[in-house]
Amino acid sequence: MALCSMFCCVKSSNRKNQRIKESTWRIFSLRELQVATNNFNYDNKLGEGGFGSVYWGQLWDASQIAVKRLKSGSGKAETEFYVEVEILGRVRHKNLLSLRGYSSQGQERIVVSDYMTNLSLLSHLHGQHSAEFLLDWNRRMDLAIGAAEGIAYLHHFATPRIIHGNIKASNVLLDEDFKAKVSEFGFIKLVPEGAISAKGARGYLAPEYASSGKASAASDVYSFGVLLLELATGKRPLVKSSSTCALTIIDWAVPLARERKFSELVDPDLDGKYLEEEWRRVLFVGLICAHSQIEKRPTMLEVVELLKGDKEKVAALENDEMFKSIPGTEEASKYVVSEKVAKQESVNV
Ligand SMILES: Nc1ncnc2c1ncn2[C@@H]1O[C@H](COP(=O)(O)OP(=O)(O)OP(=O)(O)O)[C@@H](O)[C@H]1O
């Protein structure tokens, strides 16, 4: 908390500065990053994921940065790292967190980006900012569309096309105006295969990605669907169903959506203040994205259109087979299967 307030103080005085520095791309020396992060001090640590740890830092010009130090030993050879990171560094879109540069000395492989003052969707939905209720419905809708546009850019317009591979709430960052900045796109190319299946991605991985270890545009769509469901329901990707078991948010939501029990699905933190039509759109789009049959999932471009409210497409979506009520037994047996799976995975909830 102390660390957070320190960041917030520095934040406002640096806003202007940060905007000016945003687009510069360069190689950092290890020494400069050591100075900026107080030698990768524990107090500067923002968190740790499957690839390594992220530190808050401040450069000589007072701009704030996030420094991702990839796990030692997992580093790619210098040339390979350089090639991949240079490709990612060229990607620019209003809803993607651009890289500022990198450092590659000895065994160290470090990626530098701007520090996002409002942290991540994870911290607002389930973490340190959740009690402040800063994500009203308008912001959530805006974040959903923004993040979808960022990912659609990666899939359909970036050269070469980029698969994100690790879409989740901690990788959707919020800038000072609460606009979505999707981070860590393409990082799966910077780390060894399998790093993603770490426990942090639980509940986000499409079944075919979890079993093959191969990410695809369709597996990104699945993960994005889970994210939409989190925004609509306020639940985590794994929903507690008993003291020892959890369901995926999809298995929890599908039966309720089929029975049109929306009041049981909506995030109570919204306190009834949301546009029903938009909320349903986010719910149904989220569910179709997470369809178990890959070919039924929309592309990210279609997701953007749907979220923006293409009336015909949304109506067709709500009438999709997936949301037709199925008599008793099938629904019940689906729950049992999910519970078994959850048990086998010894999910900790
Ligand atoms: N540029 C940034 N600005 C602010 N916070 C950031 C930034 N980059 C990362 N973070 C935060 O730092 C924390 C650690 O990030 P990190 O990416 O290491 O972990 P993760 O997202 O949980 O897992 P993974 O490595 O699988 O993405 C997360 O809470 C993330 O939201």
Side-chain angles (χ1 to χ4, degrees):
M1 264 313 185
L3 186 67
C4 176
S5 49
M6 177 177 90
F7 293 161
C8 295
C9 292
V10 186
K11 160 188 97 175
S12 42
S13 64
N14 286 331
R15 276 186 187 158
K16 223 168 131 197
N17 215 339
Q18 195 136 341
R19 281 206 196 103
I20 299 165
K21 296 283 161 201
E22 223 159 39
S23 54
T24 39
W25 164 258
R26 67 184 174 91
I27 300 174
F28 289 82
S29 74
L30 184 57
R31 180 78 197 123
E32 188 178 3
L33 296 179
Q34 281 168 334
V35 171
T37 59
N38 195 11
N39 210 8
F40 300 109
N41 197 299
Y42 181 79
D43 288 343
N44 288 45
K45 198 165 168 174
L46 292 169
E48 187 172 342
F51 308 140
S53 301
V54 179
Y55 297 84
W56 174 85
Q58 193 165 29
L59 294 174
W60 58 273
D61 62 359
S63 62
Q64 297 177 76
I65 53 172
V67 178
K68 179 129 192 162
R69 192 183 194 190
L70 299 181
K71 273 185 183 152
S72 64
S74 68
K76 291 256 174 189
E78 194 162 357
T79 336
E80 214 180 326
F81 176 78
Y82 171 84
V83 169
E84 294 297 348
V85 99
E86 283 281 343
I87 292 172
L88 299 180
R90 280 200 298 267
V91 179
R92 304 277 153 184
H93 181 275
K94 67 178 173 46
N95 296 112
L96 296 174
L97 182 71
S98 333
L99 299 183
R100 282 184 73 151
Y102 67 94
S103 178
S104 175
Q105 266 173 254
Q107 290 302 303
E108 293 280 5
R109 301 287 178 269
I110 299 172
V111 189
V112 182
S113 55
D114 287 318
Y115 172 70
M116 290 295 110
T117 47
N118 279 314
L119 302 178
S120 70
L121 206 50
L122 177 78
S123 68
H124 286 276
L125 286 178
H126 318 295
Q128 67 191 92
H129 286 307
S130 55
E132 296 162 36
F133 308 117
L134 294 173
L135 293 190
D136 62 15
W137 181 252
N138 282 343
R139 280 192 175 155
R140 291 188 198 200
M141 200 59 209
D142 198 45
L143 287 166
I145 294 175
E149 287 182 329
I151 301 163
Y153 179 83
L154 295 175
H155 286 186
H156 300 279
F157 304 110
T159 323
R161 306 287 187 255
I162 295 171
I163 301 298
H164 190 294
N166 196 17
I167 295 168
K168 55 181 179 175
S170 62
N171 284 339
V172 177
L173 302 177
L174 279 55
D175 72 6
E176 60 196 35
D177 301 318
F178 282 84
K179 300 291 176 207
K181 296 272 186 185
V182 177
S183 67
E184 298 211 351
F185 49 87
F187 271 38
I188 44 170
K189 293 254 183 123
L190 301 179
V191 294
E193 269 182 39
I196 295 294
S197 52
K199 74 172 195 286
R202 262 210 189 127
Y204 287 101
L205 294 191
E208 75 281 359
Y209 182 15
S211 59
S212 71
K214 273 204 174 317
S216 64
S219 65
D220 274 357
V221 171
Y222 181 101
S223 309
F224 186 70
V226 174
L227 200 82
L228 289 180
L229 295 178
E230 283 182 86
L231 281 169
T233 67
K235 295 275 194 245
R236 288 174 181 268
L238 295 173
V239 181
K240 199 171 175 175
S241 63
S242 72
S243 58
T244 51
C245 292
L247 293 168
T248 68
I249 195 169
I250 302 138
D251 285 347
W252 168 74
V254 167
L256 294 170
R258 279 184 182 150
E259 292 170 40
R260 303 299 193 257
K261 289 187 174 165
F262 299 131
S263 60
E264 289 181 39
L265 281 160
V266 71
D267 183 355
D269 283 350
L270 288 169
D271 201 19
K273 296 181 190 115
Y274 59 95
L275 285 177
E276 171 87 18
E277 193 215 318
E278 284 184 356
W279 179 85
R280 278 166 63 146
R281 218 187 288 158
V282 173
L283 176 83
F284 283 109
V285 177
L287 288 171
I288 202 78
C289 284
H291 205 295
S292 55
Q293 292 172 39
I294 300 170
E295 62 283 0
K296 291 273 176 85
R297 296 178 203 155
T299 65
M300 283 309 296
L301 278 180
E302 289 167 332
V303 170
V304 172
E305 282 183 349
L306 283 163
L307 288 175
K308 285 186 171 174
D310 183 311
K311 282 213 165 68
E312 266 175 45
K313 288 189 177 153
V314 174
L317 171 64
E318 290 203 21
N319 290 321
D320 190 274
E321 278 300 303
M322 186 181 186
F323 308 118
K324 296 244 160 78
S325 195
I326 305 168
T329 50
E330 210 163 313
E331 288 297 322
S333 64
K334 192 155 194 261
Y335 267 112
V336 175
V337 171
S338 299
E339 295 232 5
K340 274 190 194 148
V341 171
K343 264 184 194 146
Q344 278 160 10
E345 284 183 356
S346 345
V347 177
N348 229 340
V349 285

